[in-house]
Amino acid sequence: MNQERFRQPQKLILKKGLIVTMNSADEIGRGDVLIDGDRIAAVGRFDEPAIPSIDCADLLILPGFIQTHVHLCQTLFRGQADDLELLDWLHRRVWPYEAALDAQAMRASAQLGIAELIKGGTTCVLDMGSVRHYDVVFDELAQSGLRAFGGKCMMDHPQTVPAGRLESKQHSLHESVQLAKVWHGNDNARLRYAIAPRFAVSCTDDLMADAAALARENGFLLHTHASETRDELRLIEKRAGCGNIAFLHRLGFSGPDVTLAHCIWLSGSEKRLMQETGTAVAHCPSSNLKLASGIAPIVDYLRRGIKVGLGADGAPCNNNLEMLTEMRLAALLQKPRYGAAALDAEKIVKMATRGGAQVLGIANEVGSIEAGKKADLIGIECETIFSQPSTDPYSQLVYATSGRDVVLSLVDGKLLMRNRELLTMDEEKIVAQAKSELRRVVQRMETC
C-alpha cells in the first residue's frame, strides 16, 4: 500500500483544470480548486507557492460519481452468473455463491469492488451486502477511504429463501443494530448505516415493517430492490393483493429516506405514489439489460420530479462497476422511447453527481464543487485520442469517456488515486487474492 495517504498536507490545490462544478448555476470554467482539510475552501485562481499543488491542465475536474446501488459482496463472482433472468440468477448462482462466502472471501470481494469503484471515478456508494460478514465490508471501506452507506442484506421468508441464506427476523434486526453501533458515523460520517432488506419477496411482512421502523428510529437510510421483473410483481400480487410499490408503502418503505433499486414495472398510480412520498429510484441500466428485466421509464420519473440516481448493481449482472458505462447506457436507452433529446448528456452527469447526492440525502455535503462542501473530487483526462476534438464536457463525459480515463480521486480531501495508481490499496495483491478466493468459494459451493 502506498503510504502517501497518511502524509498528505492539510492544504492542496488542484491547478488549471477544466472545472465542471455541477453547482446550481451549472458553471464550467478553467481554474483551481483549493482544498483545506476535508473541505473545498475556494474555487478560483490561486498563486500560493507554499501550498502543494497538482497540475490538472489536461483534466476535467468533477465532483466524484455517486452510485446509489451496488453489491460489493458479489464482485468476486464476476462472469460466473451470465445469461440468466433474475430469479434463476438468484436461486441457481448468486444465492449459492453468497452462502459459500466466509469472512476471508467477503474481504477479497469487497476489496476488489472498492478498488474498481475508485479507479472508475466513484467516490460514494449505497451498498447492499450479504446476510453475513458485513463487518468485513465496512472494515475494507474504512481502510480504502471511499464514502459509503451500507448494510447487511436481510432475508427471513422461509418459503422463498434457501436454507443457506435464511435468517430469523430477530437475528437480522439485532445484527443490523450491532453493525450500526460500530460503523454508523465512522470517520467523520464518511461511513453510514443503511437498512437493507433484499426485496419484499425474500422478507416477511413483519421484517419489512420492523426494518422500516428501526431505520426511522435511528435516522438510517432504507434501501431495497423493487419492481425489477414481472415475476416479482406476480409473486407480490398473489401474496398481498396489490402492486409491489403499494405493498412497500404499506410496510413503511416510501419517503425521502427510501431508495428503491430498479423500479422498471410501475403502474401510473405507483408512479404518483413515488412522486407524492418523495421516494427515490436507483437506476441500473446495465443490470436491467443483462438480466432481461426491462428498461425503467426514467424520463417519466424525472418529469414527475422523482429523484433518480445511477448504480452499477453487482459484478455478476453487469459485469463491471464503472459509472461512465452506466451513464452512457442511461442516456441511450431512453431515446427510442422518449426522443433523441429527452435525456441529454448534462442531465446524465447531474444524475451521476448532484442527483445521486440528493437521492442519498447528502446534497448539502457532496455532489457539486462549491466552497464549504466535502472535497470528494475526481480528475478525468480530456485530451485523449478517444474523446477529441470536443467542445462540450458533458457530451465528452457521457458519450466518449471510459473509466480508464479517470486518473485522480479524492474523498474528504484525501488522495485515493493519483496518475491511476491506487494510494490506499494494493491493486496487484487484490487481484491475486480475488482469483485465489474465487477458486475456494466455488469449491465450497460444490460441497454445500
Side-chain angles (χ1 to χ4, degrees):
M1 181 187 299
N2 189 310
Q3 294 298 310
E4 185 171 344
R5 172 178 180 243
F6 302 104
R7 48 183 169 82
Q8 288 183 92
Q10 175 74 10
K11 292 185 178 181
L12 179 68
I13 301 175
L14 305 183
K15 296 284 290 184
K16 302 178 182 178
L18 184 58
I19 304 169
V20 184
T21 67
M22 305 313 299
N23 64 15
S24 58
D26 298 318
E27 293 174 306
I28 299 176
R30 192 162 292 278
D32 309 333
V33 180
L34 173 61
I35 298 166
D36 188 352
D38 65 345
R39 302 276 173 176
I40 298 168
V43 180
R45 294 187 183 274
F46 310 103
D47 185 15
E48 301 283 352
I51 300 177
S53 65
I54 296 175
D55 183 0
C56 299
D58 292 333
L59 303 183
L60 298 174
I61 302 299
L62 287 92
F65 297 137
I66 298 169
Q67 294 213 35
T68 55
H69 183 63
V70 298
H71 294 274
L72 290 171
C73 65
Q74 294 178 4
T75 321
L76 206 61
F77 215 50
R78 190 196 318 270
Q80 305 298 311
D82 293 343
D83 308 320
L84 294 166
E85 294 188 9
L86 176 66
L87 295 183
D88 279 345
W89 179 85
L90 285 171
H91 285 281
R92 292 170 54 185
R93 301 300 293 161
V94 170
W95 282 350
Y97 155 76
E98 290 184 9
L101 286 173
D102 58 14
Q104 183 176 310
M106 181 69 82
R107 187 176 297 278
S109 187
Q111 286 178 341
L112 184 64
I114 293 165
E116 182 180 357
L117 289 165
I118 293 171
K119 296 206 77 168
T122 294
T123 56
C124 178
V125 295
L126 173 56
D127 178 60
M128 179 183 289
S130 186
V131 171
R132 292 184 287 272
H133 308 304
Y134 202 77
D135 55 330
V136 171
V137 178
F138 263 133
D139 185 51
E140 289 302 323
L141 287 165
Q143 294 183 57
S144 72
L146 195 70
R147 188 177 305 282
F149 294 75
K152 73 177 290 309
C153 176
M154 308 170 84
M155 297 199 296
D156 77 327
H157 202 298
Q159 295 177 350
T160 59
V161 178
R165 300 281 74 209
L166 186 65
E167 58 181 351
S168 70
K169 182 191 79 167
Q170 291 78 11
H171 179 270
S172 187
L173 293 167
H174 175 75
E175 189 174 4
S176 297
V177 168
Q178 296 308 306
L179 285 163
K181 284 180 179 179
V182 175
W183 294 106
H184 186 65
N186 190 280
D187 196 5
N188 197 26
R190 178 170 61 82
L191 303 180
R192 306 182 201 188
Y193 203 78
I195 298 294
R198 189 157 212 140
F199 66 151
V201 171
S202 65
C203 299
T204 61
D205 295 12
D206 284 347
L207 175 59
M208 294 293 287
D210 288 355
L214 177 63
R216 302 274 159 58
E217 290 167 8
N218 293 277
F220 303 148
L221 288 186
L222 277 167
H223 181 42
T224 192
H225 300 87
S227 301
E228 186 174 357
T229 68
R230 289 189 173 106
D231 288 339
E232 175 191 350
L233 300 190
R234 283 190 283 269
L235 289 170
I236 295 300
E237 175 68 31
K238 182 178 179 181
R239 170 175 151 192
C242 63
N244 193 34
I245 301 301
F247 182 51
L248 290 171
H249 175 65
R250 182 195 303 171
L251 298 173
F253 274 76
S254 61
D257 56 350
V258 177
T259 300
L260 302 180
H262 306 303
C263 293
I264 298 170
W265 303 104
L266 268 61
S267 66
S269 62
E270 288 179 319
K271 293 174 186 176
R272 288 192 294 273
L273 181 58
M274 297 278 288
Q275 179 181 355
E276 291 164 0
T277 58
T279 307
V281 173
H283 178 40
C284 306
S286 291
S287 172
N288 297 162
L289 291 177
K290 187 163 182 278
L291 295 174
S293 301
I295 300 173
I298 298 303
V299 170
D300 192 9
Y301 294 155
L302 293 174
R303 287 172 178 170
R304 292 170 178 269
I306 296 171
K307 295 176 293 184
V308 179
L310 289 170
D313 207 343
C317 61
N318 190 305
N319 290 9
N320 66 63
L321 306 180
E322 183 183 297
M323 185 62 139
L324 284 153
T325 296
E326 302 310 305
M327 292 163 65
R328 178 180 171 85
L329 270 179
L332 297 179
L333 281 173
Q334 302 297 306
K335 296 181 184 301
R337 181 171 180 179
Y338 294 101
L343 193 53
D344 61 39
E346 182 176 352
K347 290 188 179 77
I348 292 292
V349 179
K350 286 180 181 177
M351 198 183 299
T353 54
R354 201 165 79 210
Q358 290 167 349
V359 166
L360 301 183
I362 53 173
N364 62 324
E365 301 176 54
V366 296
S368 61
I369 300 178
E370 301 178 77
K373 287 200 170 182
K374 291 279 193 175
D376 289 14
L377 304 166
I378 58 174
I380 297 179
E381 283 188 319
C382 58
E383 298 291 336
T384 72
I385 195 70
F386 303 103
S387 61
Q388 289 298 320
S390 176
T391 58
D392 181 347
Y394 297 123
S395 174
Q396 182 177 359
L397 285 164
V398 173
Y399 298 122
T401 301
S402 79
R404 292 165 182 80
D405 297 319
V406 182
V407 298
L408 181 69
S409 175
L410 302 93
V411 172
D412 269 349
K414 296 182 176 69
L415 283 162
L416 306 189
M417 179 176 70
R418 185 174 181 183
N419 297 326
R420 286 203 59 77
E421 179 189 1
L422 293 174
L423 303 179
T424 63
M425 308 183 80
D426 187 329
E427 184 173 352
E428 185 176 338
K429 182 178 179 181
I430 287 168
V431 172
Q433 188 71 18
K435 292 178 179 179
S436 173
E437 287 301 315
L438 175 61
R439 289 192 293 269
R440 200 168 63 83
V441 167
V442 170
Q443 289 174 352
R444 287 166 59 90
M445 289 173 64
E446 291 172 351
T447 58
C448 287

